[in-house]
Amino acid sequence: IIANSHYSVESIFRAYGKYATPIYLGVNLKTFFPQKNKLKNQVIIVGNNEPQKSLKLAVESLSLLPVRVRPELFIACPRKNSLSEIIKLAKSNKVKLKIKYGLSPADLAKEYQHSLATLACASLEPFGLSVVESLACGTPVVAIKEGGFRETIKNGYNGFLVERDPQKISKAIEKLIKDKKLRQKLSHNCSTYAQKTYTWEKTVKKIENLMYEIT
């Protein structure tokens, strides 16, 4: 059994009493890479409007930032579904939204590259591929300290791990907005870390080695 994170290994054991081997997924570094684009005043979150993706939490967190520096929230939805509830919440909290559905990997990479940060608010995400894509693009991640996010994000190195609290999420975003040098440092660490850790070559090699062991 192969799992995509140590968190998933634990979940598999709890459910089935079976041990798994953790092998992280990779990212296409030819598509997701750092680019010296002019940053927009936006943060990005990837996910559909489903309870576990916590889009509401992202809106609530941004609403706590001062209006003069408050970024736009870019929501990249893999599939088209209703966001009327999120749009209404954003409007009432004076949070600007931009929503795109079914972006190609190349277009999604451009949005990471233009963003101040990526938000990872999902509940108990087993791994979080969007987080790794963001790191490869040099975009720091503000992630909830749960699930697989605890393995991909090194607090204060390539992003921030925070409690599921809008105030704490907001403070982490504000740090990246106000401290340009900190953001640049984290951005450099993001891409370096992704290039060393999350390549498909490494993933395939580990799977091949596992196959050789069991044949």
Side-chain angles (χ1 to χ4, degrees), residues 34 135-136 138 157 185-198:
L135 295 180
Y157 177 77
K185 180 182 174 183
L186 265 59
S187 176
H188 172 76
N189 293 341
C190 285
S191 55
T192 303
Y193 183 69
Q195 289 162 12
K196 288 180 180 177
T197 313
Y198 302 111

Side-chain angles (χ1 to χ4, degrees), residues 149-167:
F149 296 152
R150 294 171 298 179
E151 299 173 46
T152 48
I153 300 305
K154 311 299 178 188
N155 191 47
Y157 177 77
N158 57 7
F160 296 108
L161 286 171
V162 296
E163 303 296 335
R164 186 172 289 280
D165 179 335
Q167 194 74 46

Side-chain angles (χ1 to χ4, degrees), residues 107-123:
D107 286 337
L108 180 57
K110 286 177 185 175
E111 294 304 332
Y112 287 127
Q113 292 161 355
H114 283 300
S115 298
L116 294 164
T118 295
L119 293 184
C121 298
S123 299

Side-chain angles (χ1 to χ4, degrees), residues 10-215:
E10 295 166 350
S11 298
I12 289 167
F13 184 80
R14 278 194 297 269
Y16 303 106
K18 300 286 185 182
Y19 288 105
T21 300
I23 298 178
Y24 291 135
L25 299 173
V27 64
N28 185 347
L29 297 176
K30 291 181 180 178
T31 301
F32 298 94
F33 56 88
Q35 187 81 302
K36 289 186 177 179
N37 292 326
K38 186 176 180 181
L39 291 176
K40 297 177 183 177
N41 189 29
Q42 77 174 26
V43 298
I44 183 171
I45 187 168
V46 179
N48 296 306
N49 186 22
E50 298 164 351
Q52 74 275 16
K53 293 300 181 181
S54 303
L55 299 184
K56 283 185 182 180
L57 179 61
V59 172
E60 290 165 358
S61 301
L62 284 181
S63 73
L64 298 177
L65 285 160
V67 175
R68 69 182 184 282
V69 297
R70 186 178 299 163
E72 182 176 52
L73 179 61
F74 188 104
I75 303 177
C77 294
R79 297 181 298 279
K80 198 152 192 175
N81 61 357
S82 175
L83 280 164
S84 57
E85 187 182 13
I86 301 299
I87 293 169
K88 185 178 178 181
L89 179 66
K91 190 174 181 180
S92 65
N93 283 280
K94 296 183 173 56
V95 173
K96 291 182 181 178
L97 285 186
K98 189 173 183 181
I99 301 165
K100 292 285 185 179
Y101 297 96
L103 287 174
S104 68
D107 286 337
L108 180 57
K110 286 177 185 175
E111 294 304 332
Y112 287 127
Q113 292 161 355
H114 283 300
S115 298
L116 294 164
T118 295
L119 293 184
C121 298
S123 299
L124 297 174
E125 185 80 19
F127 176 66
L129 190 57
S130 64
V131 167
V132 178
E133 291 170 347
S134 177
L135 295 180
C137 290
T139 304
V141 178
V142 176
I144 302 300
K145 194 167 23 176
E146 294 176 2
F149 296 152
R150 294 171 298 179
E151 299 173 46
T152 48
I153 300 305
K154 311 299 178 188
N155 191 47
Y157 177 77
N158 57 7
F160 296 108
L161 286 171
V162 296
E163 303 296 335
R164 186 172 289 280
D165 179 335
Q167 194 74 46
K168 291 181 180 177
I169 297 169
S170 175
K171 290 292 183 187
I173 297 169
E174 193 169 10
K175 271 187 188 179
L176 293 171
I177 293 172
K178 289 186 173 180
D179 194 335
K180 186 178 178 181
K181 285 186 178 179
L182 173 65
R183 196 202 171 279
Q184 289 174 337
K185 180 182 174 183
L186 265 59
S187 176
H188 172 76
N189 293 341
C190 285
S191 55
T192 303
Y193 183 69
Q195 289 162 12
K196 288 180 180 177
T197 313
Y198 302 111
T199 68
W200 280 119
E201 289 77 12
K202 281 194 172 187
T203 302
V204 170
K205 186 66 177 174
K206 287 179 180 179
I207 293 173
E208 284 181 340
N209 289 341
L210 195 62
M211 294 300 183
Y212 289 136
E213 287 176 18
I214 61 176
T215 55

